[in-house]
Amino acid sequence: MKKAGVDYYMIPTADFHNSEYAADYFKEREYFCNFNGSNGTLVVSADAAGLWTDGRYWIQAADQLKGTGVRLYRMMEPGVPTIREFLLKNMTPGSRLGFDGRCITRREGAELAQLLAEKNIRTASGRDLGDPVWRDRPALPCHDLFVITDKTAGESFEEKLAKVRGTMKQRGAGYFVCSKLDDLMWLTNLRGNDVECNPVALCYGFFSQKEQHLFLQDAEVTAAVRKYCAAKKIELHPYDSFEAFLAAYSYKGAVLYDPDSVSYSLYLAMQKGMRRAAKTLGKDRIRFIEAGSPVEIMKAVKNPVEQKNVRSIYLEDSAVVCRFLYWLCNEADIAQMTEYDAAEKLDGMRAEVKDFIELSFPTIAAYGPNAAMMHYEPTKEKSSALDRSAMLLVDSGGTYMRGTTDITRTTALGPVTDEMKKAYTLTAAGNLALLNVSWMDGCTGRNLDILAREPLWNIGSDYKCGTGHGIGYILNVHEGPQNIRWRFSKGADEVPVVPGMILSDEPGVYKDGKFGIRIETILMAQEKCRTADGQFFCFETLTYVPLDRDLLDPRYLSSREIEWVNEYHRQTLEKITPLVDRKVGAWLKKQCAPIR
Amino acid sequence: MKKAGVDYYMIPTADFHNSEYAADYFKEREYFCNFNGSNGTLVVSADAAGLWTDGRYWIQAADQLKGTGVRLYRMMEPGVPTIREFLLKNMTPGSRLGFDGRCITRREGAELAQLLAEKNIRTASGRDLGDPVWRDRPALPCHDLFVITDKTAGESFEEKLAKVRGTMKQRGAGYFVCSKLDDLMWLTNLRGNDVECNPVALCYGFFSQKEQHLFLQDAEVTAAVRKYCAAKKIELHPYDSFEAFLAAYSYKGAVLYDPDSVSYSLYLAMQKGMRRAAKTLGKDRIRFIEAGSPVEIMKAVKNPVEQKNVRSIYLEDSAVVCRFLYWLCNEADIAQMTEYDAAEKLDGMRAEVKDFIELSFPTIAAYGPNAAMMHYEPTKEKSSALDRSAMLLVDSGGTYMRGTTDITRTTALGPVTDEMKKAYTLTAAGNLALLNVSWMDGCTGRNLDILAREPLWNIGSDYKCGTGHGIGYILNVHEGPQNIRWRFSKGADEVPVVPGMILSDEPGVYKDGKFGIRIETILMAQEKCRTADGQFFCFETLTYVPLDRDLLDPRYLSSREIEWVNEYHRQTLEKITPLVDRKVGAWLKKQCAPIR
């Protein structure tokens, strides 16, 4: 820091693409302060260091920071300064803040730089000062890419790119710069393996009406991928040459990019090249168009082939979970097992499915009070023993060559209290209310959320998370732009839920130190009918795994809700029986028998 | 226009206060082109004239414009230019658009002026060019003001003003300029009678931390009101002196005002005075703060006295409607009656209630297909005959010295089809779902709307209006900022529904040319409980009038919905029986008997 002329240095969490999960290579903050939660920023000066993280991680962070001398700043707690406030207060005019501009988005970076500039504090974003210190730093992930056939993708790269170029034209953009990994994978029909549980490769993309450039680590490009790219006229460049490319390019028009995913460093590089071009062509022509990626909404609305494949893989994935639940309830030696063992068993069963690629996220198997922690994940080293006294929550999914799945079921392994039954039954009621909703074209997730939440709100219970998220196709288990949440945030954008969009439906009850319940079923929006009053949509159900009969108490259900349970079970029995053996089939029949 | 140097002249709909209803004095557009809908703008040039109105009024406007030579522009219809597009296309650089700046809000006026200025088109907003032509123009409405006692208001003018001044301080405002009539009435505890069905007087208000000025027509100020204002240290000025006052005032701080209610003319007057002041005190100090009126949210959250009075008057108003329905179903000579007669009967019954002031809006009594028109209103001259073959929709309300009411019930006067029964029953289901909802602090009307709509959306039916609006206290039957609607509009503000807010709950089914159904019950938000998960709210019901038993078909209801019907009827019987005579009581008992 001294040599670099930097007075404060900031280490954020993100990778170069603002991905949800970062590879080990990017865990610099953890290397320096031990804290390994998914959100945290370390700020270091000559004589002090502080870590900022949110409420989910306060206990964990306090524990992991012990002995490091790093002070914990609890984000959002009254009286605790934000990082910006802290820097403004502690940094003196003329001093300099350093950070790696590749790990911070254009929006964050520019806002921070502007704020500090007002106090005459400079920023230096060109260097990763932690790198020379971190001697045993893991390598940048580098795994083989592979090609999704057009038949599997349902649409060729050329067809998808033509649509993107249409949007570019509409918006008056000559160029589209993309650094979002799942957008690039979906667009190119390539997949990779550089981020845990996300089948994506580290890459960048640059597109004009005529050119198409991809920036990939050479070692990832197999012969087949190279051949594919040549056939598709995709020009390949080294992954680490993108900044230089952007700075050197001869721009002839406006550049469309998403300031919430493109990094500050990439922005500075573009700016360099564009300033040069603007000198001759003018600022009106050479300008930034800041907007969400045009790929995002195309990716969210599944095409007919994607829909067909997703439908089929969800049935097989449901059958796996049915087999697992049968095993858990009938064959497993519960007394000798941990949560981790249960997760391993399920993971093994999933791996046997044809077309399996990888888990879509590390399986959550949470027993008893552990299930009250929404982000709990058992590991080989740290995992609770099961017994026959509580509920087991299992949240899991796989990525297959036919789609990406996600499902949660909560199962009673032993006697249950009336409180648990009531909580489970009302969670199921909310889950089924959303599953059965009809809505008018134009509705967004904020309109729909209350259907899943109302039975729980009615007893003063709430889950502190959204009701639903989008899911990718042979891609990330979390994707936007659609979601199902309720809170209002002024100026925020909302996207209508339209046919082809996949959404999770996962209400729950989380009782600190006692138990946790979540029921997650995956839904796909479809057309319902067009009448004189307009266009109406509904959900098609993708997940078919029975609810837990020991936990469902019809006393808490209306006649309509009971019909919903029975209809869901009727269809589950019909669709899953052909996919399981007789033993499991017999169990399924019992689980799916009508309730009254 | 020629003399005034104006090439195009625009006549909008609003009065000087952007009120929902305008007095006859302001119906200049109707005078010039016959069209009398609630939304329409006339644009006139030397050789042409056009009227813009929205889809609700296309048929009516086409009819009323016949023979006038005025061309109808159907707003929002593809290919039809907006007024702005029309003016930009047809006006030439250097030409001038005239309009009365008092009848257009600051936001509209400034946007229009700026847009036209880009094409070097000037605006002249200082004169009402229609006035000299309109020889038999009605006088400006001018009726006596009256005082609401502090006991009735629940809070004195001083207490309310202290709160407003608190908000002004918070926002850094030295002055608050208000032209919204209901805000001024609520704040001052005065009422008037200048707008049909709204107990408001034409007035303006100007408030600093020390001063309080009201601008009223002298002839409206009774001796009692003058005495009251003197006691409250309210300085009175002539209504028409406000612009001059604003232009001449010596501003010493920032001015808070709502650009969506304050007129363009008032804005220009303030600007004049403020520019002068800014020369000595600086632009940082003398500036506009544009925001919603601080009174609006205070007025929306009813205080304990308002709540108590509203609760009591809604029971009495409900009893009136029960008596009316009893009469209609048992005593009225239907075959000899028109819709207007029914409305007159109900109006007369309401007028007999102690504390009655006026109707809160002209009673809608719509029979058969007429009820499919949401804004249908029978008049003495034009009203359909009743018979025993269809449904009668009655939407009505009163303003009393204890609050303002609003209620709709739809009643079968003869045999009903299954389609009608289903539509009515599902409307009732939606109405009761909203009435019975519990929600978490932070929810807005956009979260709640789907509860009322879902049973109808489920059969492909939708009503083309919001589900609910706020209601004033001894004031306008429509008030904000809260409402219950579902459509997303980027950047629009939403207000959480909090205890003390009154909202209507009025789903419906409107079948063009066939029938119309609306069930409107008024609700008041209240605290429900605080748990480990947060603060929950629910609705208290204000309206207690039974649903129509001939139209309710339990086959379309779940067990929970049947419970809701029975519980609503149980409470109706309990609360209304003491307020009606034996005959009506016996009828009520039959109407409120449990359904199965």
Side-chain angles (χ1 to χ4, degrees):
Chain A
M1 284 169 61
K2 224 173 196 170
K3 265 194 247 166
V6 156
D7 304 284
Y8 276 75
Y9 191 70
M10 184 174 77
I11 308 177
T13 297
D15 68 4
F16 301 157
H17 307 270
N18 200 20
S19 301
E20 187 180 0
Y21 302 97
D24 288 345
Y25 174 85
F26 295 101
K27 295 181 177 169
E28 193 168 293
R29 176 254 295 159
E30 178 181 345
Y31 172 76
F32 279 100
C33 76
N34 284 341
F35 171 63
N36 69 357
S38 72
N39 177 27
T41 300
L42 181 65
V43 175
V44 182
S45 70
D47 51 10
L51 176 91
W52 275 256
T53 189
D54 67 67
R56 291 173 298 171
Y57 293 113
W58 291 346
I59 297 170
Q60 177 184 334
D63 192 40
Q64 295 178 325
L65 292 179
K66 248 176 224 160
T68 62
V70 176
R71 181 170 166 186
L72 173 61
Y73 290 87
R74 295 177 169 80
M75 282 164 81
M76 306 285 288
E77 197 169 60
V80 174
T82 64
I83 295 175
R84 292 178 186 191
E85 287 165 354
F86 175 87
L87 293 174
L88 273 179
K89 196 185 156 199
N90 289 281
M91 291 185 73
T92 52
S95 66
R96 196 194 296 263
L97 172 74
F99 54 85
D100 184 347
R102 297 172 299 174
C103 297
I104 192 166
T105 66
R106 137 74 170 136
R107 192 183 301 282
E108 287 171 276
E111 282 179 9
L112 187 60
Q114 198 190 335
L115 195 77
L116 295 177
E118 284 171 22
K119 206 187 155 182
N120 195 26
I121 299 165
R122 291 161 302 159
T123 50
S125 61
R127 283 174 63 190
D128 175 1
L129 297 185
D131 188 65
V133 181
W134 190 2
R135 286 173 199 273
D136 56 347
R137 182 174 202 159
L140 206 59
C142 184
H143 300 92
D144 283 357
L145 283 151
F146 57 100
V147 178
I148 305 275
T149 64
D150 289 357
K151 204 183 144 203
T152 298
E155 243 181 326
S156 68
F157 165 65
E158 292 89 337
E159 289 167 308
K160 292 177 177 180
L161 186 59
K163 286 188 196 169
V164 170
R165 284 177 169 153
T167 310
M168 286 166 62
K169 249 186 195 158
Q170 255 178 17
R171 297 195 184 166
Y175 306 95
F176 168 46
V177 167
C178 186
S179 69
K180 220 166 153 259
L181 302 184
D182 57 341
D183 279 9
L184 287 165
M185 294 294 109
W186 183 84
L187 176 62
T188 58
N189 289 339
L190 291 171
R191 294 294 186 274
N193 196 14
D194 290 342
V195 177
E196 192 196 354
C197 293
N198 290 353
V200 298
L202 295 173
C203 71
Y204 299 108
F206 184 93
F207 307 91
S208 72
Q209 290 296 335
K210 290 187 177 166
E211 300 168 69
Q212 41 236 27
H213 303 271
L214 267 192
F215 296 75
L216 292 161
Q217 295 180 80
D218 262 352
E220 295 197 346
V221 183
T222 64
V225 169
R226 195 170 299 279
K227 202 177 145 196
Y228 170 83
C229 289
K232 301 288 178 182
K233 300 198 177 84
I234 296 174
E235 214 172 307
L236 293 178
H237 306 261
Y239 177 65
D240 56 9
S241 72
F242 192 48
E243 258 185 65
F245 176 93
L246 290 177
Y249 193 83
S250 293
Y251 297 90
K252 293 190 177 60
V255 179
L256 174 67
Y257 82 104
D258 177 1
D260 288 314
S261 71
V262 165
S263 74
Y264 188 53
S265 290
L266 293 182
Y267 165 75
L268 293 179
M270 288 192 279
Q271 202 180 43
K272 204 171 155 188
M274 288 167 70
R275 277 194 179 148
R276 205 180 45 244
K279 275 184 195 156
T280 50
L281 297 173
K283 276 188 180 172
D284 282 358
R285 222 173 122 188
I286 309 299
R287 64 196 163 85
F288 287 113
I289 299 174
E290 301 192 337
S293 154
V295 176
E296 197 179 34
I297 188 75
M298 298 177 195
K299 173 165 55 79
V301 177
K302 271 55 182 171
N303 68 43
V305 172
E306 290 174 331
Q307 291 192 28
K308 182 171 151 274
N309 288 343
V310 158
R311 209 168 274 136
S312 110
I313 198 60
Y314 266 86
L315 287 184
E316 290 194 42
D317 193 75
S318 294
V320 166
V321 178
C322 288
R323 274 181 229 122
F324 169 75
L325 290 177
Y326 165 78
W327 169 83
L328 185 73
C329 297
N330 298 281
E331 299 183 341
D333 186 3
I334 299 278
Q336 302 300 315
M337 272 171 60
T338 65
E339 297 162 330
Y340 187 75
D341 298 331
E344 285 255 287
K345 174 75 180 180
L346 175 57
D347 296 351
M349 294 170 100
R350 213 168 233 127
E352 284 168 24
V353 175
K354 186 173 154 274
D355 294 335
F356 177 80
I357 298 171
E358 62 179 333
L359 297 182
S360 58
F361 57 97
T363 298
I364 295 173
Y367 188 58
N370 290 345
M373 293 179 270
M374 252 178 243
H375 294 88
Y376 178 83
E377 181 194 320
T379 59
K380 195 161 188 176
E381 295 75 34
K382 203 175 170 190
S383 168
S384 298
L386 306 187
D387 62 33
R388 297 217 169 269
S389 73
M391 293 181 286
L392 178 67
L393 181 157
V394 181
D395 188 349
S396 67
T399 290
Y400 306 83
M401 201 47 113
R402 277 175 282 156
T404 299
T405 69
D406 188 5
I407 173 177
T408 310
R409 286 293 182 270
T410 305
T411 307
L413 298 188
V416 285
T417 64
D418 188 61
E419 185 192 7
M420 290 174 191
K421 277 191 179 186
K422 187 170 181 181
Y424 183 92
T425 305
L426 295 177
T427 301
N431 174 278
L432 291 166
L434 182 57
L435 184 151
N436 283 287
V437 68
S438 304
W439 71 92
M440 198 153 179
D441 189 8
C443 268
T444 76
R446 275 197 62 234
N447 297 118
L448 303 179
D449 183 277
I450 198 169
L451 294 165
R453 230 175 268 269
E454 172 57 12
L456 296 169
W457 278 358
N458 195 36
I459 58 161
S461 180
D462 180 55
Y463 44 99
K464 301 293 170 207
C465 57
T467 294
H469 57 81
I471 299 179
Y473 175 70
I474 325 182
L475 259 180
N476 300 358
V477 74
H478 293 159
E479 70 169 31
Q482 80 277 23
N483 62 54
I484 303 180
R485 295 184 190 151
W486 70 272
R487 283 195 186 274
F488 175 62
S489 161
K490 190 166 181 189
D493 211 358
E494 293 181 33
V495 175
V497 180
V498 295
M501 281 185 176
I502 295 179
L503 278 158
S504 72
D505 167 10
E506 44 181 319
V509 173
Y510 304 92
K511 291 276 175 200
D512 223 19
K514 289 172 82 178
F515 63 83
I517 289 164
R518 177 160 68 252
I519 301 175
E520 179 188 27
T521 300
I522 309 304
L523 309 172
M524 183 154 64
Q526 295 295 0
E527 300 222 346
K528 182 176 179 181
C529 61
R530 176 177 280 284
T531 71
D533 289 340
Q535 175 69 58
F536 294 87
F537 301 139
C538 64
F539 282 122
E540 168 187 3
T541 305
L542 295 177
T543 309
Y544 285 103
V545 174
L547 304 174
D548 189 299
R549 296 183 73 81
D550 296 333
L551 285 164
L552 270 182
D553 188 337
R555 282 185 306 151
Y556 301 117
L557 297 174
S558 72
S559 58
R560 175 159 313 128
E561 288 159 347
I562 288 175
E563 276 170 37
W564 285 341
V565 169
N566 290 337
E567 178 58 21
Y568 180 73
H569 280 160
R570 194 190 64 70
Q571 290 192 33
T572 299
L573 188 65
E574 183 184 306
K575 289 173 197 282
I576 304 300
T577 303
L579 305 178
V580 294
D581 64 23
R582 271 179 124 181
K583 257 178 352 189
V584 179
W587 171 84
L588 199 59
K589 199 171 171 187
K590 266 199 293 187
Q591 301 309 307
C592 292
I595 63 166
R596 277 164 215 286
Chain B
M1 283 168 63
K2 225 171 197 172
K3 267 195 246 164
V6 156
D7 304 284
Y8 277 74
Y9 190 71
M10 185 174 77
I11 307 178
T13 298
D15 67 5
F16 301 156
H17 307 270
N18 199 20
S19 301
E20 187 181 0
Y21 302 97
D24 289 344
Y25 174 84
F26 296 101
K27 295 180 177 168
E28 193 168 291
R29 175 254 296 159
E30 178 182 344
Y31 172 76
F32 278 100
C33 75
N34 282 342
F35 171 63
N36 68 358
S38 72
N39 178 28
T41 300
L42 181 65
V43 175
V44 183
S45 71
D47 51 9
L51 176 90
W52 276 256
T53 189
D54 67 67
R56 290 174 298 172
Y57 293 113
W58 291 346
I59 297 169
Q60 177 184 334
D63 192 41
Q64 295 179 325
L65 292 179
K66 248 176 224 160
T68 62
V70 176
R71 181 170 165 185
L72 174 60
Y73 290 88
R74 295 177 168 80
M75 283 164 80
M76 308 286 287
E77 197 169 59
V80 174
T82 63
I83 295 175
R84 291 178 186 192
E85 288 164 355
F86 175 87
L87 294 174
L88 274 178
K89 196 186 156 199
N90 289 282
M91 291 186 73
T92 52
S95 66
R96 196 195 296 265
L97 172 75
F99 55 85
D100 184 348
R102 297 172 299 175
C103 297
I104 191 166
T105 66
R106 135 76 171 137
R107 191 183 301 280
E108 287 171 275
E111 283 180 9
L112 187 60
Q114 199 190 334
L115 194 76
L116 295 177
E118 284 172 22
K119 206 187 154 182
N120 195 26
I121 300 165
R122 291 160 302 159
T123 50
S125 61
R127 283 174 63 190
D128 175 1
L129 297 186
D131 189 65
V133 181
W134 190 1
R135 285 172 199 273
D136 56 347
R137 182 175 202 159
L140 205 60
C142 183
H143 301 91
D144 284 357
L145 283 151
F146 57 98
V147 178
I148 305 275
T149 64
D150 290 356
K151 202 182 148 206
T152 298
E155 244 180 325
S156 68
F157 165 65
E158 292 90 337
E159 289 167 308
K160 292 176 177 181
L161 185 60
K163 284 188 197 170
V164 170
R165 283 176 169 153
T167 309
M168 286 165 63
K169 250 187 193 157
Q170 255 178 16
R171 298 193 184 166
Y175 306 95
F176 169 47
V177 167
C178 187
S179 69
K180 218 164 154 263
L181 302 184
D182 58 341
D183 279 9
L184 287 165
M185 295 294 109
W186 183 83
L187 175 61
T188 58
N189 290 339
L190 291 170
R191 294 295 185 273
N193 197 15
D194 290 343
V195 178
E196 191 195 355
C197 293
N198 290 351
V200 298
L202 294 173
C203 70
Y204 299 108
F206 184 93
F207 307 92
S208 71
Q209 291 295 335
K210 288 189 177 161
E211 300 168 67
Q212 43 235 24
H213 303 271
L214 268 193
F215 296 74
L216 293 162
Q217 295 180 81
D218 262 353
E220 297 198 345
V221 184
T222 63
V225 169
R226 195 171 300 279
K227 200 175 146 198
Y228 170 82
C229 289
K232 300 288 178 181
K233 302 200 177 83
I234 297 174
E235 213 172 307
L236 293 178
H237 306 260
Y239 176 65
D240 56 10
S241 71
F242 192 48
E243 258 184 65
F245 176 93
L246 289 177
Y249 192 84
S250 294
Y251 297 91
K252 294 192 176 58
V255 179
L256 174 68
Y257 82 104
D258 178 1
D260 288 313
S261 72
V262 166
S263 75
Y264 188 54
S265 291
L266 293 182
Y267 164 75
L268 293 179
M270 287 192 280
Q271 202 181 43
K272 202 170 156 189
M274 288 167 71
R275 278 194 179 146
R276 204 179 46 245
K279 274 184 196 157
T280 50
L281 298 173
K283 276 188 180 175
D284 281 359
R285 224 175 120 187
I286 309 300
R287 63 195 163 85
F288 286 114
I289 300 174
E290 301 191 337
S293 153
V295 176
E296 197 179 33
I297 188 74
M298 297 175 195
K299 171 165 59 77
V301 177
K302 270 56 183 169
N303 68 41
V305 172
E306 290 173 332
Q307 291 192 29
K308 182 171 152 275
N309 288 344
V310 159
R311 209 169 274 136
S312 109
I313 198 61
Y314 266 85
L315 288 184
E316 289 194 43
D317 192 73
S318 295
V320 167
V321 178
C322 288
R323 273 181 229 122
F324 169 74
L325 291 176
Y326 164 78
W327 169 82
L328 185 73
C329 298
N330 300 280
E331 299 184 342
D333 186 3
I334 298 276
Q336 302 301 315
M337 272 172 60
T338 65
E339 296 162 333
Y340 187 75
D341 296 331
E344 285 254 286
K345 174 75 181 181
L346 175 56
D347 297 351
M349 294 169 101
R350 211 168 234 129
E352 284 169 23
V353 175
K354 185 174 154 275
D355 293 335
F356 177 80
I357 298 171
E358 61 179 334
L359 297 183
S360 58
F361 58 97
T363 298
I364 295 173
Y367 188 59
N370 290 346
M373 293 179 270
M374 250 177 244
H375 295 88
Y376 178 83
E377 182 194 319
T379 59
K380 197 163 188 176
E381 295 73 34
K382 203 175 169 189
S383 168
S384 299
L386 305 187
D387 62 34
R388 297 217 170 269
S389 71
M391 294 181 286
L392 178 67
L393 181 158
V394 181
D395 188 350
S396 66
T399 289
Y400 305 84
M401 201 48 115
R402 277 175 283 156
T404 299
T405 69
D406 188 4
I407 172 178
T408 310
R409 287 293 182 269
T410 305
T411 307
L413 298 189
V416 284
T417 64
D418 190 59
E419 185 192 7
M420 290 174 190
K421 277 191 179 183
K422 188 171 180 179
Y424 183 93
T425 306
L426 296 177
T427 301
N431 174 279
L432 291 166
L434 182 57
L435 183 152
N436 283 287
V437 67
S438 305
W439 70 92
M440 198 152 178
D441 189 8
C443 267
T444 76
R446 276 197 64 234
N447 298 116
L448 303 179
D449 183 276
I450 198 170
L451 294 165
R453 230 174 269 268
E454 172 57 11
L456 296 169
W457 278 357
N458 195 37
I459 58 159
S461 180
D462 180 54
Y463 45 98
K464 302 293 169 203
C465 57
T467 295
H469 58 81
I471 300 179
Y473 176 70
I474 323 183
L475 258 179
N476 300 359
V477 74
H478 293 159
E479 71 170 30
Q482 79 278 22
N483 61 54
I484 302 179
R485 293 182 192 153
W486 70 272
R487 283 196 185 272
F488 175 62
S489 160
K490 190 165 181 190
D493 211 358
E494 293 182 33
V495 175
V497 180
V498 296
M501 280 184 177
I502 294 179
L503 278 157
S504 71
D505 167 10
E506 43 182 319
V509 173
Y510 304 91
K511 293 276 175 201
D512 224 18
K514 289 173 81 177
F515 63 83
I517 289 164
R518 177 161 67 251
I519 302 175
E520 179 187 26
T521 301
I522 309 305
L523 309 171
M524 183 154 63
Q526 295 294 0
E527 301 222 347
K528 181 175 179 180
C529 60
R530 175 177 280 284
T531 72
D533 288 340
Q535 175 69 58
F536 294 86
F537 301 139
C538 63
F539 281 122
E540 168 187 5
T541 305
L542 295 178
T543 310
Y544 285 102
V545 174
L547 303 174
D548 189 297
R549 295 183 74 81
D550 295 333
L551 285 164
L552 270 182
D553 188 337
R555 283 185 305 151
Y556 300 117
L557 297 174
S558 73
S559 56
R560 176 160 312 129
E561 289 159 346
I562 288 176
E563 276 169 37
W564 286 341
V565 170
N566 290 338
E567 178 58 20
Y568 180 72
H569 280 161
R570 194 191 64 69
Q571 290 191 34
T572 299
L573 189 65
E574 183 184 304
K575 287 173 198 285
I576 304 299
T577 303
L579 305 179
V580 293
D581 65 23
R582 269 176 126 183
K583 262 181 343 193
V584 179
W587 171 84
L588 199 60
K589 198 170 172 189
K590 267 200 292 186
Q591 302 309 308
C592 292
I595 63 166
R596 277 166 217 286

